[in-house]
Amino acid sequence: MMDAARERDRADPLREYRDRFALPDGVIYLDGNSLGALPKATAERMAGVVRGEWGEGLIRSWNPGENGGADWIGLPRRVGGRIARLVGAAPDTVVAADSTSVNLFKLIAAALAMRPGRKVVLSEPGNFPTDLYMIAGLEAQGLAERRLAPRDRLADALDGDVALLLLTHVHYKTGEVFDMAALTRAAHDAGALVLWDLSHSAGAIPVGLDASGADFAVGCGYKYLNGGPGAPAFAYVAQRHHAALEQPLTGWMGHAAPFAFSDDYAPAPGVGRLLCGTPPVLALAALEVGVDLVAEIGIDRLAAKSRALSEFFRDCLDGLGVALELASPADPMQRGSQLSFRHRQAYAICQALIARGVIGDFRDPDILRFGFAPAYVSFEDAARAARHLAEVLETGEWQREEFRERAAVT
Amino acid sequence: MMDAARERDRADPLREYRDRFALPDGVIYLDGNSLGALPKATAERMAGVVRGEWGEGLIRSWNPGENGGADWIGLPRRVGGRIARLVGAAPDTVVAADSTSVNLFKLIAAALAMRPGRKVVLSEPGNFPTDLYMIAGLEAQGLAERRLAPRDRLADALDGDVALLLLTHVHYKTGEVFDMAALTRAAHDAGALVLWDLSHSAGAIPVGLDASGADFAVGCGYKYLNGGPGAPAFAYVAQRHHAALEQPLTGWMGHAAPFAFSDDYAPAPGVGRLLCGTPPVLALAALEVGVDLVAEIGIDRLAAKSRALSEFFRDCLDGLGVALELASPADPMQRGSQLSFRHRQAYAICQALIARGVIGDFRDPDILRFGFAPAYVSFEDAARAARHLAEVLETGEWQREEFRERAAVT
């Protein structure tokens, strides 16, 4: 098993990229789907932004320019444009700003405003909680009505009251991938708009936002884009909606002329009107490095290696005689960059693995989740992780008291 | 003038703190009211957060704990608690999160929900634009009605339709300070709630949120709190409103049990329900350092030195025969930590000063603004800046072509 793993690593066209990340000794990191690892270049870039752009440049760094201006004001559009290429979108259709949650609010509200007379926002139970909660926020305002239907009943639930279909492209628990083009078409046929949450897709698998006809999308900067803990998120609006787009978080950075300091709001042209407050410069600079590294490696190569890794991990488990219930689709083309298993003791098993230096994660109530971020996870990592998992189950060490106590963040 | 300045600096009890900031050579920085300078400790802290907490700790850093957990999940409340002490608020009434704009939206909406039957949000024309624009966002949703009245007419405008009075405590252009306690009382007498924007107060002058009876407040992290460009903002809710507080940005971090991954939203107790998306860890860590430094120096000493500095600057200008129209109150107790002057050529004069290394700023259409951030501005800085200003006006060098071309960010 180990020999096979090393053989695969030697043949891996992405093997050189592992060294571009700062990975701790003694850790096998299978949680890049929750927090991407640190690109080494980010540490340098952050030092430069802090000491150079902020410390030396001070307020002058907001402007672009020959005199060393760092163009902070351009960061949300610039980083957005780079993310756009990773999700199949035209460059001027994406901004990097705020959190995924806040961007969901903007775009759910924008969709409702575009479909007067319709109030239903349709999603599935078990979608990532913040997606469901942000609909609830608009529901409490009296502006939306939340409707949940299981995946196999979504088509039936798409009636004439639905303003927006809001789905997460790759499910956070199972990794199952929705057919973006087909569901977008179904929603459009019902007169509804579609908003895709790409938090577990962007940087992991190819996404064709423009090609699928999607209306809106949001996504996370701190998972496969390696933007750092709590990195800014992104938001996409299809070009055809730019002129009509109205969103309620009408902050000064989304104004057509923020520095005219007018009393009255006038939206910036295009996707710029999605901006709200002052851009989080330090965080955007870190995100930019992560996004650039993903772009350099290339989404197709990342997706191919990720599938190979997760299949290899399953083969290793089979070889070790580990029979766990797979919660992810068995077909690697039907899942994102993760493998999830169901086990009643998932939490304790996860903790026992962490104690051995194998970091995956647990999702309530019974999901044991392993992410195979292909930019820095090796086949040897996968083989070793499989062996640790086999040993944890075999020895029953997960039964120890210390592995049952729930942490604040799981 | 220079001798007097050096004399004042020698007697300044805060003189040692200047060395705690990284200030560029050849620059007199009078723009801390727009972007606070870099605390030297921030550069070190950021390197530690990036390489240690993120790079080494990875996902484990979300949790507190003996095993080196960095307690990222606690950052919004922890940093909020430290800001609370700077603005006269109980520690569990403030969170650090999102941007000032986004926090305005949450709290304007929360106030409207608490005053059913009233839709008017009252403010003054010329308030900082984002405050006015965020009211406009709720107006476009059909939930609010914006009403603007000049300062001397606010009392008359406080009728039975007003749900919320939203004012900026220290005006961004003139530095004029509102009487927080009196206006809060007037609003309450009319049955309205009050939301104070402390962007130009927090870290600059004493603020008594709890004592004044204020209901809500927001403020900026990147000005006098020295949190870095686009730092997270803060939001305050008086203890008595915690139980009833409902805000529409109901993201997963404001949930009572985010890691239970329930489909249904249930607000966290207290001010925690103001949280929305995943906390921006890198930015919050930088803000924490800035806030701690301000707390160490102490608000009363900062305010006293700031007043002395701005008065000294005016004396210098007088001594140099510079007669500029003062846009700020002449009484230093009536203004924040800045001095503003009106001049039709304010933009070009500002640019000419920047070319000489004196960084103040311009606010459309005619305001020349100098901030006296007392933690790192010296009396010698003030004297030199006054001399440069006198020379720029005397020589007319501001008339050069290069000083008239508007930058993207002014």
Side-chain angles (χ1 to χ4, degrees):
Chain A
M1 192 171 90
M2 277 310 160
D3 286 346
R6 289 187 194 115
E7 184 59 37
R8 299 287 293 262
D9 282 330
R10 272 191 295 276
D12 172 16
L14 306 190
R15 68 185 177 283
E16 70 195 275
Y17 289 105
R18 182 181 172 95
D19 192 48
R20 303 278 288 276
F21 292 85
L23 296 165
D25 291 336
V27 164
I28 295 170
Y29 193 58
L30 303 181
D31 211 3
N33 48 316
S34 184
L35 173 66
L38 167 68
K40 287 179 181 168
T42 303
E44 280 169 54
R45 173 75 189 274
M46 288 309 283
V49 171
V50 171
R51 290 177 198 272
E53 296 180 15
W54 175 12
E56 289 284 319
L58 286 163
I59 202 75
R60 296 170 292 193
S61 293
W62 280 110
N63 279 300
E66 309 110 53
N67 306 323
D71 192 21
W72 287 345
I73 200 72
L75 271 169
R77 308 275 311 240
R78 187 166 83 230
V79 179
R82 292 180 189 181
I83 293 171
R85 276 184 286 172
L86 303 179
V87 292
D92 55 352
T93 57
V94 175
V95 288
D98 295 313
S99 63
T100 305
S101 302
V102 168
N103 289 331
L104 281 164
F105 189 87
K106 294 174 194 166
L107 294 178
I108 299 169
L112 288 164
M114 282 182 184
R115 288 292 179 272
R118 295 178 176 222
K119 282 178 80 172
V120 172
V121 180
L122 175 63
S123 191
E124 62 167 342
N127 191 356
F128 189 77
T130 218
D131 297 69
L132 302 181
Y133 301 163
M134 297 315 288
I135 307 173
L138 281 149
E139 198 168 32
Q141 285 188 301
L143 300 172
E145 192 187 314
R146 192 177 84 159
R147 180 186 295 172
L148 304 184
R151 320 201 134 192
D152 57 354
R153 309 279 287 279
L154 281 170
D156 298 336
L158 268 170
D159 63 24
D161 294 327
V162 178
L164 179 72
L165 174 63
L166 163 56
L167 295 171
T168 301
H169 183 222
V170 173
H171 197 278
Y172 78 105
K173 273 190 181 168
T174 65
E176 187 174 353
V177 183
F178 269 119
D179 183 333
M180 181 178 282
L183 275 149
T184 299
R185 212 176 309 117
H188 288 175
D189 287 348
L193 297 160
V194 185
L195 164 50
W196 290 100
D197 183 339
L198 304 178
S199 290
H200 288 265
S201 319
I205 60 170
V207 178
L209 276 177
D210 283 339
S212 75
D215 301 289
F216 309 110
V218 297
C220 176
Y222 55 80
K223 298 178 186 296
Y224 297 101
L225 298 182
N226 307 307
F234 65 90
Y236 158 88
V237 176
Q239 192 84 51
R240 66 185 177 282
H241 293 311
H242 285 195
L245 188 78
E246 280 182 37
Q247 62 89 10
L249 297 176
T250 48
W252 72 311
M253 282 296 150
H255 194 280
F259 297 93
F261 296 95
S262 155
D263 281 356
D264 297 307
Y265 183 76
V271 80
R273 68 184 61 176
L274 285 181
L275 300 180
C276 183
T278 305
V281 170
L282 305 184
L284 282 167
L287 176 59
E288 188 169 32
V289 178
V291 168
D292 282 351
L293 184 46
V294 170
E296 182 188 335
I297 308 176
I299 283 293
D300 290 333
R301 296 204 297 172
L302 286 164
K305 180 177 170 191
S306 159
R307 290 180 186 120
L309 274 171
S310 59
E311 287 296 277
F312 181 72
F313 183 72
R314 290 185 67 203
D315 289 346
C316 291
L317 290 181
D318 282 348
L320 292 159
V322 175
L324 277 172
E325 184 192 343
L326 186 65
S328 302
D331 175 358
M333 298 305 288
Q334 299 298 316
R335 64 183 187 240
S337 197
Q338 75 189 65
L339 271 181
S340 299
F341 300 93
R342 266 199 196 87
H343 194 290
R344 280 168 58 189
Q345 299 300 336
Y347 183 78
I349 294 168
C350 181
Q351 294 305 306
L353 283 170
I354 290 173
R356 284 167 169 260
V358 180
I359 304 182
D361 67 16
F362 159 78
R363 282 296 171 256
D364 220 26
D366 59 357
I367 294 283
L368 187 57
R369 189 173 69 158
F370 300 106
F372 296 91
Y376 47 82
V377 173
S378 67
F379 288 89
E380 192 174 333
D381 284 338
R384 284 182 191 279
R387 205 165 57 189
H388 281 294
L389 177 54
E391 287 171 10
V392 161
L393 292 169
E394 215 171 272
T395 61
E397 72 190 52
W398 56 268
Q399 295 174 46
R400 281 194 228 149
E401 194 74 28
E402 71 206 79
F403 298 142
R404 289 154 174 271
E405 204 174 301
R406 287 285 182 100
V409 180
T410 60
Chain B
M1 189 170 90
M2 278 309 158
D3 287 346
R6 289 186 194 115
E7 185 60 37
R8 299 287 292 264
D9 282 331
R10 272 190 296 273
D12 173 16
L14 306 191
R15 68 187 176 283
E16 70 194 275
Y17 289 105
R18 181 182 174 93
D19 192 47
R20 304 277 288 277
F21 292 85
L23 296 164
D25 293 334
V27 163
I28 296 170
Y29 193 59
L30 303 180
D31 211 3
N33 48 316
S34 184
L35 173 66
L38 168 67
K40 287 178 181 168
T42 304
E44 280 169 54
R45 173 77 190 273
M46 288 309 282
V49 171
V50 171
R51 290 177 197 271
E53 297 181 14
W54 175 12
E56 289 284 319
L58 287 162
I59 201 75
R60 297 170 292 193
S61 294
W62 280 110
N63 278 300
E66 309 110 53
N67 306 323
D71 193 20
W72 286 347
I73 200 72
L75 272 169
R77 307 276 311 242
R78 187 167 84 230
V79 179
R82 293 180 189 183
I83 294 171
R85 278 184 284 173
L86 303 178
V87 292
D92 55 352
T93 57
V94 175
V95 287
D98 295 313
S99 63
T100 305
S101 301
V102 168
N103 289 331
L104 282 164
F105 189 86
K106 295 174 192 166
L107 293 178
I108 299 168
L112 288 164
M114 283 181 183
R115 288 290 179 272
R118 294 177 176 224
K119 282 179 79 172
V120 171
V121 180
L122 176 62
S123 191
E124 62 168 342
N127 191 356
F128 188 77
T130 218
D131 298 69
L132 302 180
Y133 301 163
M134 296 316 287
I135 308 173
L138 281 148
E139 199 168 32
Q141 284 189 298
L143 300 172
E145 191 187 316
R146 191 178 85 160
R147 180 186 295 173
L148 303 184
R151 329 201 126 193
D152 58 353
R153 308 280 286 281
L154 282 170
D156 298 336
L158 267 170
D159 63 25
D161 295 327
V162 178
L164 180 71
L165 175 62
L166 163 55
L167 294 172
T168 300
H169 183 222
V170 173
H171 197 277
Y172 78 105
K173 272 189 182 169
T174 65
E176 187 173 352
V177 184
F178 269 118
D179 183 334
M180 183 178 282
L183 274 149
T184 298
R185 213 177 308 117
H188 288 175
D189 287 348
L193 297 160
V194 185
L195 165 50
W196 289 101
D197 183 339
L198 304 178
S199 291
H200 289 265
S201 317
I205 60 170
V207 178
L209 276 178
D210 283 340
S212 74
D215 301 289
F216 308 110
V218 297
C220 175
Y222 55 78
K223 299 179 185 292
Y224 297 103
L225 298 181
N226 307 307
F234 64 89
Y236 158 89
V237 177
Q239 193 84 50
R240 66 185 177 281
H241 294 311
H242 285 194
L245 188 77
E246 281 182 37
Q247 61 90 9
L249 297 176
T250 49
W252 72 312
M253 283 294 150
H255 194 280
F259 296 94
F261 297 97
S262 155
D263 281 356
D264 296 309
Y265 183 75
V271 82
R273 68 186 59 178
L274 285 181
L275 300 180
C276 183
T278 305
V281 170
L282 305 183
L284 282 166
L287 176 59
E288 188 170 31
V289 178
V291 168
D292 283 351
L293 185 47
V294 170
E296 181 188 334
I297 309 176
I299 283 293
D300 291 333
R301 296 205 296 173
L302 286 164
K305 181 177 169 190
S306 159
R307 289 180 187 121
L309 274 171
S310 59
E311 286 295 276
F312 182 72
F313 183 73
R314 290 185 66 202
D315 290 345
C316 291
L317 290 181
D318 283 349
L320 291 159
V322 175
L324 277 173
E325 183 191 346
L326 187 64
S328 302
D331 175 0
M333 297 305 289
Q334 300 297 317
R335 63 182 188 241
S337 196
Q338 75 189 65
L339 271 180
S340 299
F341 300 94
R342 265 199 197 88
H343 194 292
R344 281 169 57 190
Q345 299 300 334
Y347 183 78
I349 293 167
C350 181
Q351 293 305 305
L353 283 169
I354 289 173
R356 284 167 169 259
V358 180
I359 303 182
D361 68 16
F362 160 79
R363 282 296 172 256
D364 220 28
D366 60 356
I367 294 284
L368 187 58
R369 189 173 70 158
F370 300 106
F372 296 91
Y376 47 82
V377 173
S378 67
F379 289 88
E380 192 174 331
D381 283 339
R384 283 183 192 278
R387 204 164 60 187
H388 281 295
L389 176 54
E391 286 172 11
V392 162
L393 292 169
E394 214 171 272
T395 60
E397 72 191 52
W398 56 269
Q399 295 174 49
R400 281 194 230 147
E401 194 74 28
E402 71 207 78
F403 297 141
R404 289 153 174 269
E405 203 174 302
R406 287 285 182 101
V409 180
T410 59

